[in-house]
């Protein structure tokens, strides 16, 4: 990767001179807001960004099929006794505040940093005792704080009036907590504070690399693009596990309705592996405590709008939103079903 970076930086000065900035001042010069690292900047330019993203999951699926709480409590508990699962997640909401900074030291390389503040909430149903379908009660676990921090270099590869290709060379720094605790309602006994299952943790605990490649094109009022980006875990964390590797392909098309407004459709494919290893502190009669109930494949469709202020004090300020829903999903084991995602973003370059 670093070899590529060097080679690209040297060879691509050729393209720098012919690059024309015909679309930087249009709303569709940026990809739909759900895509990260989609564009580069000109030498000396800075950009600040803030995104609010909400992700909602509700009810459970096994593979691709719905599964009820009553069916879930007949499944074996990986940490028996008790023999069967006794706690069922009902829904989960993740709110994410993402603060980004971009800076281009030259026309070929744009640097990017992103910090994430997470707010997670999961509602559960606890069944009584060792077996049977008697409900004991509901409880909600919460965790919040900074997640992992991302750094990336976007290296221009090819660029002309219509087509732009750059490489994404990213690093994820484990700044997010992996020992978040909250109170849970067990099948027997009183409320007790426990280390929360993986889904409720804020970080990965590992240094990860995030390589990728991004293509964007434009002609007249039309725009299009595609991005492949991976998250590769190179090690186990201090608790002897690593979250799954992820591969994601995004493709999108956009149309400029007004000089200040464009609309987009985006199709994304995500493949996430299950968790490797296990945190010995997490052993509860709930599906989320089992590393096998993580990862899967999903195809999402998103509708978006990009706005770019043209005059006066609004000039150069970008506002974007995107609403995303899965078309198909297949999970490993039993998991909450992804319902939808909503992203609202603000960007300003100077
Ligand atoms: Cu930017």
């Amino acid at each position: 990767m670093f070899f590529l970076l060097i080679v690209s930086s040297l060879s691509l000065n050729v393209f720098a001179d012919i690059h024309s900035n015909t679309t930087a001042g249009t709303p569709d010069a940026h990809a739909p807001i759900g895509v990260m690292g989609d564009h580069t900047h000109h030498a000396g330019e800075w950009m600040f960004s803030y995104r609010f993203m909400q992700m909602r999951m509700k009810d459970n699926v096994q593979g691709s099929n719905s599964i009820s709480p009553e069916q879930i409590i007949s499944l074996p508990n990986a940490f028996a006794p008790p023999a069967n699962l006794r706690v069922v997640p009902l829904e989960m909401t993740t709110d994410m505040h993402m603060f980004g900074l971009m800076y281009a030291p030259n026309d070929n390389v744009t640097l990017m940093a992103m910090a994430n503040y997470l707010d997670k909430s999961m509602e559960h149903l606890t069944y009584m005792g060792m077996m049977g379908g008697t409900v004991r009660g509901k409880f909600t676990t919460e965790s919040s704080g900074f997640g992992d921090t991302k750094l990336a270099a976007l290296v221009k590869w090819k660029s002309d009036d219509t087509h732009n290709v750059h490489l994404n060379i990213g690093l994820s720094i484990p700044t997010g907590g992996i020992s978040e605790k909250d109170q849970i309602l067990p099948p027997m006994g009183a409320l007790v504070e426990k280390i929360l299952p993986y889904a409720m943790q804020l970080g990965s605990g590992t240094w990860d690399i995030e390589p990728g490649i991004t293509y964007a094109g434009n002609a007249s009022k039309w725009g299009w693009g595609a991005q492949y980006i991976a998250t590769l875990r190179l090690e186990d964390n201090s608790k002897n596990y690593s979250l799954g590797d992820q591969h994601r392909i995004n493709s999108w098309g956009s149309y400029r309705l007004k000089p200040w407004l464009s609309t987009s459709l985006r199709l994304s494919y995500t493949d996430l592996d299950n968790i490797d290893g296990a945190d010995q502190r997490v052993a509860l009669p709930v599906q989320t405590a089992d590393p096998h109930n993580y990862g899967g494949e999903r195809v999402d469709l998103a509708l978006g709008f990009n706005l770019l202020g043209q005059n006066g004090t609004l000039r150069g300020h970008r506002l974007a939103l995107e609403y995303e829903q899965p078309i198909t999903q297949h999970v490993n084991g039993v998991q909450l079903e992804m319902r939808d995602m909503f992203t609202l973003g603000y960007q300003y370059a100077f």
Side-chain angles (χ1 to χ4, degrees):
M1 265 304 158
F2 290 102
F3 172 73
L4 277 177
L5 189 150
I6 292 160
V7 171
S8 309
S9 311
L10 294 176
S11 64
L12 296 177
N13 288 311
V14 179
F15 294 96
D17 295 329
I18 59 164
H19 177 259
S20 72
N21 188 14
T22 49
T23 54
T26 65
D28 49 321
H30 287 195
I33 194 72
V35 183
M36 313 285 161
D38 61 292
H39 64 270
T40 57
H41 285 273
H42 290 293
E45 223 170 64
W46 289 84
M47 189 189 84
F48 167 80
S49 69
Y50 166 75
R51 282 178 177 86
F52 171 76
M53 186 187 280
Q54 184 173 73
M55 202 186 289
R56 293 189 296 187
M57 303 171 99
K58 194 175 195 302
D59 301 328
N60 291 280
V61 282
Q62 182 175 37
S64 305
N65 304 314
S66 294
I67 181 168
S68 69
E70 293 73 25
Q71 289 172 303
I72 289 177
I73 57 166
S74 69
L75 297 173
N77 168 24
F79 309 98
N84 295 337
L85 296 178
R86 299 274 77 200
V87 176
V88 178
L90 298 176
E91 57 182 301
M92 178 175 182
T93 305
T94 304
D95 286 348
M96 214 163 157
H97 303 269
M98 309 164 80
F99 304 90
L101 203 58
M102 295 176 90
Y103 171 70
N106 60 58
D107 279 339
N108 290 322
V109 178
T110 297
L111 304 174
M112 201 171 90
M114 194 171 281
N116 307 295
Y117 187 90
L118 298 160
D119 206 336
K120 296 185 172 189
S121 166
M122 196 188 276
E123 193 179 300
H124 310 74
L125 195 59
T126 299
Y127 288 83
M128 301 213 10
M130 301 293 287
M131 54 191 295
T134 311
V135 172
R136 174 156 192 218
K138 279 188 182 178
F139 70 99
T140 302
T141 56
E142 289 175 349
S143 60
S144 58
F146 279 97
D148 291 345
T149 303
K150 320 260 180 185
L151 298 180
L154 312 181
V155 181
K156 203 175 277 184
W157 188 7
K158 284 184 194 293
S159 178
D160 63 28
D161 284 350
T162 307
H163 309 285
N164 292 282
V165 182
H166 67 256
L167 301 173
N168 299 63
I169 303 163
L171 180 71
S172 176
I173 303 168
T175 48
I178 56 168
S179 299
E180 299 300 315
K181 293 178 190 172
D182 202 356
Q183 293 209 316
I184 66 152
L185 178 68
M188 289 174 275
L191 279 170
V192 58
E193 190 170 76
K194 291 278 188 189
I195 298 277
L196 294 170
Y198 312 93
M200 290 297 291
Q201 296 301 330
L202 304 172
S204 63
T206 52
W207 291 77
D208 310 319
I209 56 163
E210 302 193 324
I213 184 165
T214 306
Y215 162 73
N218 67 279
S220 171
K221 291 177 176 176
W222 296 93
W224 59 89
Q227 182 186 65
Y228 163 76
I229 204 145
T231 302
L232 306 176
R233 323 280 178 182
L234 302 177
E235 51 170 4
D236 278 353
N237 62 27
S238 60
K239 302 304 170 200
N240 299 312
Y241 71 92
S242 61
L243 298 180
D245 287 349
Q246 180 176 278
H247 301 271
R248 173 171 286 168
I249 297 165
N250 268 305
S251 59
W252 64 90
S254 67
Y255 181 74
R256 202 184 316 140
L257 297 164
K258 304 272 181 197
W260 53 273
L261 174 68
S262 64
T263 183
S264 61
L265 266 185
R266 176 167 67 92
L267 198 63
S268 91
Y269 167 77
T270 307
D271 176 71
L272 175 66
D273 289 344
N274 63 12
I275 293 172
D276 209 16
D279 185 339
Q280 297 306 316
R281 303 171 301 172
V282 178
L284 299 162
V286 59
Q287 70 204 33
T288 49
D290 185 345
H292 297 100
N293 294 323
Y294 283 86
E297 286 178 284
R298 211 171 70 226
V299 176
D300 300 311
L301 186 66
L303 173 67
F305 295 94
N306 284 1
L307 285 77
L308 175 59
Q310 304 289 306
N311 305 307
T313 50
L314 291 179
R315 189 177 166 80
H317 294 269
R318 289 176 173 274
L319 201 64
L321 49 110
E322 203 177 21
Y323 178 77
E324 186 172 358
Q325 266 192 356
I327 305 177
T328 66
Q329 53 189 316
H330 181 94
V331 303
N332 297 327
V334 177
Q335 298 179 32
L336 281 169
E337 184 178 7
M338 179 67 74
R339 282 299 169 87
D340 59 8
M341 273 159 281
F342 172 78
T343 308
L344 181 67
Y346 166 78
Q347 298 170 321
Y348 184 64
F350 50 96

